[in-house]
Amino acid sequence: MKMCFWINLHNLLAIHSSVSNKGMVASGWKGGFFTDSSYLLQGSAISLFQIHSGILRQNSRVNPFGVQPFQPTEQWNGYLVNVLDPRCLFAVSGCFRDSPAIIPLAP
């Protein structure tokens, strides 16, 4: 259930960011689409990259953006998905043409 929430939230924020930036997703890897688009959630900013690699991938230390993993004192550590499920990578969309279709998930 926690994974469905975070995947749905990531995909909704990706759509919002893409529309707000007038479809600039094509330059996502170069233009910081995943790291520069932040949203306030429970009073703290969180980016698409932090949801993807931090929460859904259990605070993965491998990332191409140089973004640091969550520190032990950060509130987001309490929201990490308990079981790393590689299938979630097929549900998370980056709004690219070759990204997975966005379909709301239910637990």
Side-chain angles (χ1 to χ4, degrees), residues 4-81:
C4 291
F5 169 79
W6 286 107
I7 290 171
N8 286 334
L9 180 65
H10 178 280
N11 289 342
L12 285 171
L13 295 180
I15 292 169
H16 179 266
S17 182
S18 177
V19 171
S20 297
N21 293 312
K22 297 180 175 53
M24 300 277 298
V25 180
S27 64
W29 291 100
K30 298 176 203 159
F33 173 76
F34 295 101
T35 55
D36 293 347
S37 299
S38 305
Y39 295 88
L40 281 180
L41 190 62
Q42 293 190 340
S44 296
I46 190 165
S47 69
L48 293 171
F49 180 75
Q50 288 173 311
I51 294 172
H52 180 265
S53 288
I55 293 173
L56 291 172
R57 294 182 64 208
Q58 297 177 324
N59 214 13
S60 172
R61 299 202 183 297
V62 177
N63 69 73
F65 302 114
V67 177
Q68 295 297 316
F70 297 132
Q71 301 303 313
T73 56
E74 289 188 67
Q75 72 176 18
W76 303 118
N77 283 317
Y79 296 102
L80 300 181
V81 173

Side-chain angles (χ1 to χ4, degrees), residues 67-99:
V67 177
Q68 295 297 316
F70 297 132
Q71 301 303 313
T73 56
E74 289 188 67
Q75 72 176 18
W76 303 118
N77 283 317
Y79 296 102
L80 300 181
V81 173
N82 299 331
V83 178
L84 184 58
D85 187 343
R87 294 177 299 170
C88 81
L89 299 176
F90 294 99
V92 174
S93 178
C95 294
F96 294 106
R97 286 186 192 134
D98 59 350
S99 290

